[in-house]
Amino acid sequence: MTTLAAASPSGAAETASPWARDGAAAVRLVDAGAAREPGARLAAIAIQLEPGWKTYWRQPGASGVPPRFDFTGSSNVAEARVGYPAPERSADEDGVTNVYHGLVTLPVTVTPRDPSAPVELRLVADYGICERVCVPVRAEAALRLDGDAAGQGPAADEVRAAAQAVPKQAALGAAGPVSVASVRRAPGPAGVVSIDIVAMAPDGAEPVLFAETGDGDYAPAPTLAGAPKDGLATFRMTFDEPDLPKSGLKLTLAAGAQAIETPVALDEIAPSP
């Protein structure tokens, strides 16, 4: 679960746009000052949901609406890259979905065309919110980013915490306290393909694995196959078709406060034992 601490949309906020409310959700942009990348700025899309409501990760899962964030109306922006902290896993009668609750803070790394000039950041957000029934929402927000001294206060602190929570890139088999150790085809019935994913996570931390295709499309939710042992956990995915996606997989592994994102090409998936 990576939903950050809630805050009231009516509260004062430093270097943030006004909240744009629609029903059970409100959206604003927040300026957190200079980014780690030279010349870039750190901003965020903040979505405040009322209790009991949820919105979706970049890949919703079995149902739901993927968010779409459009910054093309901005000025002096070469790129606005949205980061996604690992979501929560939710299961209901519609299947397994990947969601956020409460205050959702999605960091945005903004690369100006001219780093010496102000940035006019303009957002059109299309996303879904659900309680029992899903509702599409469109919101617009605008914010001027014009100085490294900006981005002070609790709202900016939330942005920096969210940026730290975005999964770090890690290659398959890379060393680390959290890693995807191996991906292997598993024996299964005719007409389907199953794979086993072995993940490493600190003892006592419950690992959660999210999957997409390499193109970011839907992939079945990995399920934990037994309790983790000696820091290793095995997940299984079963595709109801005889072939894996040609684009491979993108796996997001979260355990405790740590999260990584690992791309897996088809030729990195070992054959069945």
Side-chain angles (χ1 to χ4, degrees):
M1 170 178 171
T2 313
T3 301
L4 303 179
S8 169
S10 62
E14 299 84 353
T15 56
S17 69
W19 287 97
R21 174 165 289 283
D22 188 332
V27 170
R28 71 175 178 180
L29 291 169
V30 181
D31 183 2
R36 290 180 178 272
E37 300 175 16
R41 299 196 59 85
L42 180 62
I45 304 162
I47 304 173
Q48 177 70 69
L49 301 167
E50 291 187 358
W53 288 77
K54 62 188 177 184
T55 192
Y56 293 94
W57 190 47
R58 66 188 180 210
Q59 175 44 253
S63 63
V65 180
R68 296 287 182 263
F69 301 119
D70 184 358
F71 288 100
T72 55
S74 301
S75 299
N76 191 29
V77 172
E79 182 186 32
R81 187 174 71 251
V82 181
Y84 293 85
E88 302 172 52
R89 174 70 43 75
S90 177
D92 56 27
E93 62 275 8
D94 294 322
V96 177
T97 53
N98 308 312
V99 303
Y100 298 109
H101 293 91
L103 176 64
V104 185
T105 303
L106 303 177
V108 183
T109 302
V110 180
T111 304
R113 295 186 186 279
D114 178 1
S116 65
V119 167
E120 296 288 346
L121 198 61
R122 299 185 183 91
L123 166 69
V124 178
D126 290 287
Y127 62 106
I129 60 173
C130 297
E131 188 183 36
R132 294 182 179 85
V133 177
C134 286
V135 180
V137 176
R138 166 167 284 201
E140 298 185 17
L143 183 64
R144 181 184 176 92
L145 315 180
D146 61 356
D148 291 344
Q152 303 301 313
D157 291 343
E158 291 281 2
V159 178
R160 286 186 283 270
Q164 286 296 314
V166 171
K168 309 300 186 290
Q169 296 293 312
L172 181 65
V178 176
S179 68
V180 178
S182 64
V183 181
R184 179 183 295 274
R185 286 179 181 260
V192 305
V193 58
S194 293
I195 59 174
D196 284 343
I197 302 161
V198 178
M200 179 176 292
D203 285 334
E206 181 177 353
V208 184
L209 188 67
F210 305 90
E212 310 160 77
T213 71
D215 295 329
D217 290 332
Y218 170 77
T223 57
L224 190 59
K229 184 177 180 181
D230 298 328
L232 293 177
T234 299
F235 294 85
R236 175 160 290 195
M237 294 177 64
T238 300
F239 294 78
D240 294 328
E241 50 194 38
D243 296 305
L244 289 168
K246 293 182 179 179
S247 60
L249 298 171
K250 183 161 58 176
L251 302 174
T252 297
L253 174 65
Q258 302 181 73
I260 60 166
E261 182 180 289
T262 297
V264 182
L266 279 184
D267 60 6
E268 294 181 296
I269 299 175
S272 300

